[in-house]
Amino acid sequence: MPNQRYLLSILVVFMTFCAAKAQTLELGLSGGGAGYIGDLNQDKLLKITGMNLGGYVKLNLDPYWALGLHYNYGKVRANDATSDNAQFRDRNLNFKTALNEVSAQVDFNLFNYFAGGGTKSFTPYIFTGIGGVFFSPKAKYTNDPTLEDKYYNLRFYKTEGQTEVYKNYAITVPYGVGVKLRMKENWGLFSQVGYRTVFTDYLDDVSARYPSPAVWPQDGDLNTRKRLSNPSDVAPYGTPGLQRGDFRKRDTYMFVGIGISYTFVSQKCYTF
């Protein structure tokens, strides 16, 4: 009996090892555009305002399911001064920020597919996951597109009268759709569009209401704080208590692009 248990244990370990080897490792790189939906862009879901670059390492569990670790870098911006909405132009806010995102994602292929195997050479797919993003919104003091001006890090100016500086990182939930195409041997091409719901409303530094100037320190930065909080010269913008943006509590950003992948197909287990 001890010997049988010993042999059974070896067999279980060996089968587990074979199952792990049957999985395939995939590496990918992508590039394209980035967009933002929030208080300065409330309804244009596919508006591209910057670039993005990304990479991932992925484990294909079978032709349908895959788990991946992803990194994406992007840039987004918005400027009320160039908006086609007259109220936005009167409000006159602006911002830009870089996005550094790390996420774990799960893919589901609709067809039996992966580069290096599977019965199909093409498949649509969907994905979702969870991750984190670092951001740092900045704005021009003078929001005139014809003038040059330096950018200010908005977090530290507490433009809505916050008692504390808000965090420059947040949980993000990615989700989206794409298509994959197997090329020669283990190479593949893919294209996707993915949105990220961010658990913060300060991606653009706009969330609550215009503050009373009395909440800010009466120091040399007071006039800068006032102007960054309210760059409008139109009444009633800037009135304490008036909403600066919309009433949604989370901002969103998106990445769209194309990429290339390479899949390392593991050798088969030995057979007896």
Side-chain angles (χ1 to χ4, degrees):
M1 288 293 294
N3 289 336
Q4 291 178 342
R5 291 177 181 175
Y6 179 74
L7 291 174
L8 181 60
S9 299
I10 293 177
L11 181 60
V12 170
V13 171
F14 184 77
M15 292 176 62
T16 302
F17 176 76
C18 288
K21 294 293 284 182
Q23 298 166 350
T24 57
L25 184 68
E26 179 182 328
L27 302 179
L29 295 173
S30 64
Y36 143 87
I37 304 97
D39 300 86
L40 276 68
N41 174 36
Q42 298 177 9
D43 52 16
K44 296 179 180 179
L45 303 182
L46 288 172
K47 184 176 182 179
I48 304 299
T49 61
M51 50 75 68
N52 88 80
L53 296 171
Y56 66 79
V57 56
K58 186 181 297 182
L59 192 64
N60 292 286
L61 305 178
D62 59 35
Y64 294 97
W65 293 96
L67 297 175
L69 182 63
H70 297 248
Y71 169 75
N72 283 285
Y73 173 81
K75 292 183 176 180
V76 295
R77 65 173 64 226
N79 191 339
D80 280 351
T82 60
S83 174
D84 55 9
N85 185 309
Q87 292 182 332
F88 281 21
R89 292 196 299 271
D90 289 344
R91 183 180 59 177
N92 207 32
L93 293 169
N94 74 98
F95 92 101
K96 69 174 184 178
T97 185
L99 302 168
N100 284 278
E101 176 197 87
V102 177
S103 64
Q105 297 181 21
V106 56
D107 292 5
F108 177 72
N109 299 327
L110 274 64
F111 302 157
N112 186 302
Y113 169 95
F114 60 81
T119 61
K120 304 294 184 181
S121 60
F122 164 84
T123 185
Y125 69 99
I126 58 176
F127 68 89
T128 188
I130 190 167
V133 63
F134 289 86
F135 61 97
S136 184
K138 298 177 174 61
K140 283 186 176 182
Y141 181 85
T142 301
N143 191 9
D144 185 335
T146 66
L147 298 176
E148 293 293 332
D149 196 11
K150 76 173 186 176
Y151 281 86
Y152 290 79
N153 194 327
L154 294 168
R155 293 176 58 230
F156 300 109
Y157 288 89
K158 301 180 180 179
T159 55
E160 294 183 349
Q162 300 96 326
T163 57
E164 297 180 356
V165 175
Y166 56 80
K167 296 179 176 63
N168 68 332
Y169 57 88
I171 294 173
T172 183
V173 177
Y175 51 92
V177 298
V179 293
K180 300 176 183 178
L181 176 66
R182 184 167 69 240
M183 306 297 288
K184 183 178 179 181
E185 296 178 350
N186 296 359
W187 293 95
L189 295 177
F190 63 91
S191 178
Q192 69 176 27
V193 54
Y195 290 86
R196 275 75 172 160
T197 298
V198 193
F199 282 68
T200 181
D201 197 26
Y202 283 109
L203 198 67
D204 48 20
D205 189 65
V206 182
S207 177
R209 302 176 183 274
Y210 290 101
S212 168
V215 304
W216 289 316
Q218 305 300 299
D219 55 21
D221 288 329
L222 180 60
N223 289 332
T224 302
R225 291 189 183 93
K226 288 181 179 179
R227 190 64 180 177
L228 292 175
S229 175
N230 174 34
S232 177
D233 295 319
V234 178
Y237 295 97
T239 302
L242 184 71
Q243 187 75 19
R244 290 179 84 214
D246 60 29
F247 290 94
R248 290 177 291 188
K249 294 303 180 184
R250 295 187 179 95
D251 291 324
T252 301
Y253 62 94
M254 55 88 72
F255 294 140
V256 59
I258 60 174
I260 188 169
S261 66
Y262 183 84
T263 303
F264 298 88
V265 180
S266 61
Q267 296 179 351
K268 295 181 179 179
C269 293
Y270 294 104
T271 59
F272 296 94

